[in-house]
Amino acid sequence: MFHDLVQWLVGTIGAWGYPGIIVLMALESSFFPFPSEVVIPPAAYLASRGEMNIGMVILCGIGGSLIGALFNYWLAMVFGRPFFERYGKYLFISSEAMEKADRFFIRHGHISTFIGRLLPGIRQYISLPAGIARMNIMVFALATALGAGIWVLVLAGLGWWCGKNEVLIAQNLHWIAAIIVLFCTLLAFLYWHRWQAHKRAGLVE
């Protein structure tokens, strides 16, 4: 079944071209359970055969990811905030908790969004708390693009070198994902340590 899906995507991307990559990656970054692992590698494979441009594949992948993330951000900002302000008390979410969440994303939203975009199972949903907290949209977009860019580059590299061999792609993606998780853990620790040092020095509140 997965092999058939990959074959279908290769055909779809080949027919739709770069707009197809944007649409599929936008879906992947929103609420739809559409894995980017079966979008970018087939496109990169077509690029390795000279049928597409690898630079455009990467740019369209990042662009689509950003569009989907901004859509989730907008939904959370427009509908999520009023919902929690009205019904949060019934869910044991106080106004003080909302204020703390706002302060957290004002201070740490950039690193949270960047790391979140790299973590499987989180990348699609990190936009929601950012939107509810009304994080600065320019900072959000930049952090999203950087995080999504790294992930798209990884997938493009796999597609370029592994071709249509989905078994080889899955095997390599497994250990690459583990390395990314370790990298994110280290980055979060270093950021927290630096923040605490600045706090003790009185540079931040």
Side-chain angles (χ1 to χ4, degrees):
M1 177 183 250
F2 183 79
H3 178 75
D4 293 338
L5 176 61
V6 172
Q7 292 292 333
W8 177 80
L9 283 169
V10 170
T12 299
I13 293 170
W16 290 6
Y18 302 114
I21 299 174
I22 295 174
V23 170
L24 293 175
M25 289 301 290
L27 289 175
E28 185 272 340
S29 286
S30 61
F31 291 108
F32 298 93
F34 200 92
S36 56
E37 293 87 335
V38 296
V39 177
I40 298 300
Y45 165 71
L46 292 176
S48 71
R49 295 175 51 185
E51 298 180 29
M52 301 188 83
N53 179 278
I54 190 63
M56 285 298 296
V57 168
I58 293 170
L59 287 176
C60 289
I62 297 172
S65 297
L66 183 57
I67 290 171
L70 287 172
F71 176 73
N72 277 6
Y73 175 96
W74 176 80
L75 281 180
M77 182 180 68
V78 173
F79 299 105
R81 184 74 182 207
F83 175 83
F84 282 108
E85 288 177 347
R86 185 171 183 178
Y87 301 108
K89 60 184 178 181
Y90 302 111
L91 301 173
F92 305 103
I93 300 175
S94 64
S95 58
E96 290 79 8
M98 293 288 293
E99 291 174 2
K100 287 181 180 179
D102 289 346
R103 290 195 298 270
F104 177 86
F105 268 89
I106 289 173
R107 296 172 177 172
H108 313 294
H110 59 300
I111 190 68
S112 300
T113 301
F114 174 73
I115 291 177
R117 288 299 311 181
L118 291 171
L119 296 176
I122 296 178
R123 66 173 59 95
Q124 292 90 345
Y125 304 109
I126 190 63
S127 308
L128 301 180
I132 291 173
R134 295 174 181 170
M135 175 184 169
N136 182 288
I137 193 168
M138 295 304 296
V139 175
F140 171 79
L142 179 59
T144 297
L146 289 174
I150 292 175
W151 184 242
V152 169
L153 282 171
V154 168
L155 296 178
L158 287 175
W160 181 276
W161 296 110
C162 300
K164 291 193 294 183
N165 190 333
E166 59 265 23
V167 174
L168 187 59
I169 290 175
Q171 289 175 346
N172 283 280
L173 192 61
H174 180 74
W175 65 262
I176 289 175
I179 292 175
I180 289 177
V181 170
L182 288 175
F183 166 75
C184 290
T185 302
L186 177 62
L187 182 61
F189 172 78
L190 292 175
Y191 177 84
W192 176 83
H193 186 270
R194 181 172 177 269
W195 175 265
Q196 291 298 318
H198 284 181
K199 192 173 183 179
R200 288 192 295 269
L203 299 177
V204 295
E205 296 181 2

PDB file of all heavy atoms in Angstrom, residues 11-33:
ATOM      1  N   GLY A  11       3.651  10.354  -9.466  1.00  0.00           N
ATOM      2  CA  GLY A  11       2.849  10.746 -10.614  1.00  0.00           C
ATOM      3  C   GLY A  11       2.136  12.068 -10.415  1.00  0.00           C
ATOM      4  O   GLY A  11       2.076  12.912 -11.322  1.00  0.00           O
ATOM      5  N   THR A  12       1.600  12.270  -9.203  1.00  0.00           N
ATOM      6  CA  THR A  12       0.870  13.505  -8.896  1.00  0.00           C
ATOM      7  C   THR A  12       1.789  14.715  -8.938  1.00  0.00           C
ATOM      8  O   THR A  12       1.465  15.747  -9.543  1.00  0.00           O
ATOM      9  CB  THR A  12       0.206  13.411  -7.517  1.00  0.00           C
ATOM     10  OG1 THR A  12      -0.728  12.326  -7.511  1.00  0.00           O
ATOM     11  CG2 THR A  12      -0.515  14.710  -7.172  1.00  0.00           C
ATOM     12  N   ILE A  13       2.948  14.589  -8.278  1.00  0.00           N
ATOM     13  CA  ILE A  13       3.898  15.705  -8.250  1.00  0.00           C
ATOM     14  C   ILE A  13       4.422  15.981  -9.651  1.00  0.00           C
ATOM     15  O   ILE A  13       4.614  17.136 -10.048  1.00  0.00           O
ATOM     16  CB  ILE A  13       5.049  15.405  -7.272  1.00  0.00           C
ATOM     17  CG1 ILE A  13       4.519  15.362  -5.835  1.00  0.00           C
ATOM     18  CG2 ILE A  13       6.150  16.465  -7.376  1.00  0.00           C
ATOM     19  CD1 ILE A  13       5.514  14.849  -4.821  1.00  0.00           C
ATOM     20  N   GLY A  14       4.643  14.891 -10.404  1.00  0.00           N
ATOM     21  CA  GLY A  14       5.095  15.079 -11.774  1.00  0.00           C
ATOM     22  C   GLY A  14       4.066  15.812 -12.614  1.00  0.00           C
ATOM     23  O   GLY A  14       4.410  16.608 -13.502  1.00  0.00           O
ATOM     24  N   ALA A  15       2.782  15.556 -12.334  1.00  0.00           N
ATOM     25  CA  ALA A  15       1.707  16.206 -13.096  1.00  0.00           C
ATOM     26  C   ALA A  15       1.430  17.618 -12.602  1.00  0.00           C
ATOM     27  O   ALA A  15       1.237  18.542 -13.404  1.00  0.00           O
ATOM     28  CB  ALA A  15       0.438  15.362 -13.009  1.00  0.00           C
ATOM     29  N   TRP A  16       1.402  17.810 -11.302  1.00  0.00           N
ATOM     30  CA  TRP A  16       1.093  19.124 -10.729  1.00  0.00           C
ATOM     31  C   TRP A  16       2.307  20.037 -10.699  1.00  0.00           C
ATOM     32  O   TRP A  16       2.170  21.243 -10.644  1.00  0.00           O
ATOM     33  CB  TRP A  16       0.553  18.968  -9.307  1.00  0.00           C
ATOM     34  CG  TRP A  16      -0.808  18.361  -9.225  1.00  0.00           C
ATOM     35  CD1 TRP A  16      -1.548  17.847 -10.255  1.00  0.00           C
ATOM     36  CD2 TRP A  16      -1.594  18.214  -8.053  1.00  0.00           C
ATOM     37  NE1 TRP A  16      -2.746  17.378  -9.795  1.00  0.00           N
ATOM     38  CE2 TRP A  16      -2.802  17.589  -8.438  1.00  0.00           C
ATOM     39  CE3 TRP A  16      -1.401  18.521  -6.721  1.00  0.00           C
ATOM     40  CZ2 TRP A  16      -3.803  17.277  -7.534  1.00  0.00           C
ATOM     41  CZ3 TRP A  16      -2.400  18.223  -5.805  1.00  0.00           C
ATOM     42  CH2 TRP A  16      -3.590  17.605  -6.219  1.00  0.00           C
ATOM     43  N   GLY A  17       3.487  19.438 -10.646  1.00  0.00           N
ATOM     44  CA  GLY A  17       4.698  20.236 -10.572  1.00  0.00           C
ATOM     45  C   GLY A  17       4.891  20.866  -9.197  1.00  0.00           C
ATOM     46  O   GLY A  17       4.455  20.327  -8.185  1.00  0.00           O
ATOM     47  N   TYR A  18       5.499  22.026  -9.198  1.00  0.00           N
ATOM     48  CA  TYR A  18       5.833  22.683  -7.934  1.00  0.00           C
ATOM     49  C   TYR A  18       4.598  23.099  -7.123  1.00  0.00           C
ATOM     50  O   TYR A  18       4.630  23.006  -5.887  1.00  0.00           O
ATOM     51  CB  TYR A  18       6.733  23.891  -8.203  1.00  0.00           C
ATOM     52  CG  TYR A  18       8.009  23.504  -8.923  1.00  0.00           C
ATOM     53  CD1 TYR A  18       8.251  23.934 -10.226  1.00  0.00           C
ATOM     54  CD2 TYR A  18       8.955  22.690  -8.312  1.00  0.00           C
ATOM     55  CE1 TYR A  18       9.415  23.569 -10.889  1.00  0.00           C
ATOM     56  CE2 TYR A  18      10.122  22.316  -8.974  1.00  0.00           C
ATOM     57  CZ  TYR A  18      10.340  22.756 -10.259  1.00  0.00           C
ATOM     58  OH  TYR A  18      11.477  22.379 -10.916  1.00  0.00           O
ATOM     59  N   PRO A  19       3.511  23.542  -7.770  1.00  0.00           N
ATOM     60  CA  PRO A  19       2.304  23.834  -6.973  1.00  0.00           C
ATOM     61  C   PRO A  19       1.802  22.622  -6.202  1.00  0.00           C
ATOM     62  O   PRO A  19       1.257  22.760  -5.105  1.00  0.00           O
ATOM     63  CB  PRO A  19       1.284  24.289  -8.021  1.00  0.00           C
ATOM     64  CG  PRO A  19       2.105  24.841  -9.132  1.00  0.00           C
ATOM     65  CD  PRO A  19       3.318  23.965  -9.180  1.00  0.00           C
ATOM     66  N   GLY A  20       1.995  21.417  -6.764  1.00  0.00           N
ATOM     67  CA  GLY A  20       1.587  20.203  -6.059  1.00  0.00           C
ATOM     68  C   GLY A  20       2.361  20.015  -4.776  1.00  0.00           C
ATOM     69  O   GLY A  20       1.802  19.597  -3.754  1.00  0.00           O
ATOM     70  N   ILE A  21       3.658  20.322  -4.804  1.00  0.00           N
ATOM     71  CA  ILE A  21       4.482  20.217  -3.589  1.00  0.00           C
ATOM     72  C   ILE A  21       3.973  21.197  -2.540  1.00  0.00           C
ATOM     73  O   ILE A  21       3.848  20.852  -1.356  1.00  0.00           O
ATOM     74  CB  ILE A  21       5.963  20.507  -3.909  1.00  0.00           C
ATOM     75  CG1 ILE A  21       6.503  19.488  -4.909  1.00  0.00           C
ATOM     76  CG2 ILE A  21       6.805  20.490  -2.630  1.00  0.00           C
ATOM     77  CD1 ILE A  21       7.904  19.781  -5.389  1.00  0.00           C
ATOM     78  N   ILE A  22       3.685  22.430  -2.956  1.00  0.00           N
ATOM     79  CA  ILE A  22       3.212  23.446  -2.020  1.00  0.00           C
ATOM     80  C   ILE A  22       1.907  23.007  -1.365  1.00  0.00           C
ATOM     81  O   ILE A  22       1.752  23.092  -0.135  1.00  0.00           O
ATOM     82  CB  ILE A  22       3.033  24.797  -2.736  1.00  0.00           C
ATOM     83  CG1 ILE A  22       4.391  25.322  -3.212  1.00  0.00           C
ATOM     84  CG2 ILE A  22       2.359  25.810  -1.813  1.00  0.00           C
ATOM     85  CD1 ILE A  22       4.297  26.584  -4.054  1.00  0.00           C
ATOM     86  N   VAL A  23       0.971  22.522  -2.174  1.00  0.00           N
ATOM     87  CA  VAL A  23      -0.334  22.113  -1.650  1.00  0.00           C
ATOM     88  C   VAL A  23      -0.191  20.953  -0.685  1.00  0.00           C
ATOM     89  O   VAL A  23      -0.748  20.965   0.430  1.00  0.00           O
ATOM     90  CB  VAL A  23      -1.290  21.734  -2.803  1.00  0.00           C
ATOM     91  CG1 VAL A  23      -2.554  21.079  -2.259  1.00  0.00           C
ATOM     92  CG2 VAL A  23      -1.646  22.965  -3.632  1.00  0.00           C
ATOM     93  N   LEU A  24       0.565  19.932  -1.066  1.00  0.00           N
ATOM     94  CA  LEU A  24       0.711  18.748  -0.217  1.00  0.00           C
ATOM     95  C   LEU A  24       1.450  19.076   1.077  1.00  0.00           C
ATOM     96  O   LEU A  24       1.093  18.581   2.151  1.00  0.00           O
ATOM     97  CB  LEU A  24       1.435  17.642  -0.983  1.00  0.00           C
ATOM     98  CG  LEU A  24       0.671  17.043  -2.171  1.00  0.00           C
ATOM     99  CD1 LEU A  24       1.540  16.045  -2.917  1.00  0.00           C
ATOM    100  CD2 LEU A  24      -0.618  16.381  -1.711  1.00  0.00           C
ATOM    101  N   MET A  25       2.477  19.922   1.013  1.00  0.00           N
ATOM    102  CA  MET A  25       3.210  20.291   2.224  1.00  0.00           C
ATOM    103  C   MET A  25       2.380  21.216   3.113  1.00  0.00           C
ATOM    104  O   MET A  25       2.522  21.185   4.340  1.00  0.00           O
ATOM    105  CB  MET A  25       4.537  20.950   1.853  1.00  0.00           C
ATOM    106  CG  MET A  25       5.558  19.985   1.277  1.00  0.00           C
ATOM    107  SD  MET A  25       5.969  18.630   2.403  1.00  0.00           S
ATOM    108  CE  MET A  25       6.879  19.516   3.682  1.00  0.00           C
ATOM    109  N   ALA A  26       1.517  22.033   2.509  1.00  0.00           N
ATOM    110  CA  ALA A  26       0.611  22.861   3.311  1.00  0.00           C
ATOM    111  C   ALA A  26      -0.367  21.976   4.069  1.00  0.00           C
ATOM    112  O   ALA A  26      -0.668  22.219   5.248  1.00  0.00           O
ATOM    113  CB  ALA A  26      -0.136  23.853   2.417  1.00  0.00           C
ATOM    114  N   LEU A  27      -0.866  20.939   3.411  1.00  0.00           N
ATOM    115  CA  LEU A  27      -1.752  19.988   4.086  1.00  0.00           C
ATOM    116  C   LEU A  27      -1.016  19.294   5.224  1.00  0.00           C
ATOM    117  O   LEU A  27      -1.561  19.098   6.310  1.00  0.00           O
ATOM    118  CB  LEU A  27      -2.263  18.951   3.086  1.00  0.00           C
ATOM    119  CG  LEU A  27      -3.269  19.433   2.039  1.00  0.00           C
ATOM    120  CD1 LEU A  27      -3.583  18.313   1.061  1.00  0.00           C
ATOM    121  CD2 LEU A  27      -4.543  19.936   2.708  1.00  0.00           C
ATOM    122  N   GLU A  28       0.243  18.922   4.960  1.00  0.00           N
ATOM    123  CA  GLU A  28       1.035  18.225   5.983  1.00  0.00           C
ATOM    124  C   GLU A  28       1.250  19.089   7.215  1.00  0.00           C
ATOM    125  O   GLU A  28       1.335  18.583   8.330  1.00  0.00           O
ATOM    126  CB  GLU A  28       2.384  17.807   5.386  1.00  0.00           C
ATOM    127  CG  GLU A  28       3.262  16.966   6.292  1.00  0.00           C
ATOM    128  CD  GLU A  28       4.168  17.798   7.185  1.00  0.00           C
ATOM    129  OE1 GLU A  28       4.399  18.973   6.868  1.00  0.00           O
ATOM    130  OE2 GLU A  28       4.658  17.253   8.210  1.00  0.00           O
ATOM    131  N   SER A  29       1.353  20.395   7.028  1.00  0.00           N
ATOM    132  CA  SER A  29       1.614  21.300   8.149  1.00  0.00           C
ATOM    133  C   SER A  29       0.347  21.750   8.861  1.00  0.00           C
ATOM    134  O   SER A  29       0.425  22.417   9.890  1.00  0.00           O
ATOM    135  CB  SER A  29       2.369  22.546   7.661  1.00  0.00           C
ATOM    136  OG  SER A  29       3.709  22.223   7.375  1.00  0.00           O
ATOM    137  N   SER A  30      -0.807  21.408   8.313  1.00  0.00           N
ATOM    138  CA  SER A  30      -2.057  21.774   8.967  1.00  0.00           C
ATOM    139  C   SER A  30      -2.576  20.567   9.740  1.00  0.00           C
ATOM    140  O   SER A  30      -1.802  19.791  10.267  1.00  0.00           O
ATOM    141  CB  SER A  30      -3.075  22.266   7.928  1.00  0.00           C
ATOM    142  OG  SER A  30      -3.355  21.247   6.992  1.00  0.00           O
ATOM    143  N   PHE A  31      -3.879  20.424   9.826  1.00  0.00           N
ATOM    144  CA  PHE A  31      -4.462  19.355  10.637  1.00  0.00           C
ATOM    145  C   PHE A  31      -4.528  18.012   9.920  1.00  0.00           C
ATOM    146  O   PHE A  31      -4.807  16.994  10.532  1.00  0.00           O
ATOM    147  CB  PHE A  31      -5.884  19.739  11.073  1.00  0.00           C
ATOM    148  CG  PHE A  31      -5.915  20.867  12.057  1.00  0.00           C
ATOM    149  CD1 PHE A  31      -6.362  22.120  11.680  1.00  0.00           C
ATOM    150  CD2 PHE A  31      -5.481  20.675  13.348  1.00  0.00           C
ATOM    151  CE1 PHE A  31      -6.393  23.171  12.590  1.00  0.00           C
ATOM    152  CE2 PHE A  31      -5.507  21.714  14.263  1.00  0.00           C
ATOM    153  CZ  PHE A  31      -5.957  22.963  13.888  1.00  0.00           C
ATOM    154  N   PHE A  32      -4.297  18.007   8.622  1.00  0.00           N
ATOM    155  CA  PHE A  32      -4.463  16.772   7.865  1.00  0.00           C
ATOM    156  C   PHE A  32      -3.274  15.833   8.095  1.00  0.00           C
ATOM    157  O   PHE A  32      -2.126  16.249   7.972  1.00  0.00           O
ATOM    158  CB  PHE A  32      -4.590  17.087   6.365  1.00  0.00           C
ATOM    159  CG  PHE A  32      -5.779  17.925   6.040  1.00  0.00           C
ATOM    160  CD1 PHE A  32      -5.674  19.309   5.973  1.00  0.00           C
ATOM    161  CD2 PHE A  32      -7.014  17.338   5.813  1.00  0.00           C
ATOM    162  CE1 PHE A  32      -6.774  20.091   5.677  1.00  0.00           C
ATOM    163  CE2 PHE A  32      -8.125  18.114   5.515  1.00  0.00           C
ATOM    164  CZ  PHE A  32      -8.008  19.503   5.457  1.00  0.00           C
ATOM    165  N   PRO A  33      -3.551  14.564   8.409  1.00  0.00           N
ATOM    166  CA  PRO A  33      -2.469  13.607   8.684  1.00  0.00           C
ATOM    167  C   PRO A  33      -1.794  13.133   7.401  1.00  0.00           C
ATOM    168  O   PRO A  33      -1.954  11.998   6.967  1.00  0.00           O
ATOM    169  CB  PRO A  33      -3.207  12.462   9.394  1.00  0.00           C
ATOM    170  CG  PRO A  33      -4.579  12.491   8.800  1.00  0.00           C
ATOM    171  CD  PRO A  33      -4.886  13.951   8.540  1.00  0.00           C
TER     172      PRO A  33
END
